[in-house]
Amino acid sequence: MSKPLGYYTNSTPGDDTLLATLQDKYGAAFEKISKREKLVILTALASHVGCQLEGDCREEIFTIAKQMIEQLTIADQTGIMEAIIVQIRWGQNFVVEKQESPMQQ
């Protein structure tokens, strides 16, 4: 069973905030939002947060992501998402500096 949003956020029941409104409408653990809808929210938030961070993304990471999509089961893919979310929230931040292409050297 999922924990309520307040466990993961600074939300307190009864607050007059977006999180309180969402909990009222969709449940304290978003139980009234489908798995597909949760993935849409996750995708949008991940994209937004990623754009706020410094550094670049290595080309090989896109290849790795494609391989994961093609070769891993849905269960393994969601497990990887969970592991990455924990690492993003609580782990160290390795920053990839912008790499010069051979034409710029």
Side-chain angles (χ1 to χ4, degrees):
M1 176 168 198
S2 295
K3 292 179 170 64
L5 291 179
Y7 178 83
Y8 303 100
T9 67
N10 291 322
S11 175
T12 304
D15 285 353
D16 189 24
T17 63
L18 173 62
L19 289 175
T21 301
L22 294 173
Q23 286 186 91
D24 288 344
K25 185 168 184 174
Y26 299 109
F30 282 167
E31 60 270 17
K32 296 176 186 171
I33 297 178
S34 73
K35 190 179 286 190
R36 181 182 294 265
E37 292 168 331
K38 289 173 186 171
L39 287 167
V40 168
I41 292 169
L42 183 61
T43 301
L45 292 174
S47 178
H48 175 75
V49 171
C51 289
Q52 306 305 309
L53 300 176
E54 62 183 66
D56 281 344
C57 187
R58 295 170 281 184
E59 280 298 317
E60 67 194 80
I61 300 303
F62 295 102
T63 301
I64 291 168
K66 184 175 184 287
Q67 290 171 334
M68 288 178 174
I69 290 167
E70 293 171 350
Q71 298 177 31
L72 298 179
T73 65
I74 296 293
D76 284 343
Q77 290 175 34
T78 55
I80 297 247
M81 286 190 289
E82 183 177 5
I84 288 172
I85 288 169
V86 169
Q87 293 163 11
I88 289 168
R89 182 136 191 209
W90 305 111
Q92 294 180 354
N93 184 27
F94 175 80
V95 177
V96 176
E97 298 298 329
K98 188 168 189 165
Q99 298 176 1
E100 292 184 12
S101 69
M103 298 297 285
Q104 294 175 323
Q105 294 180 353

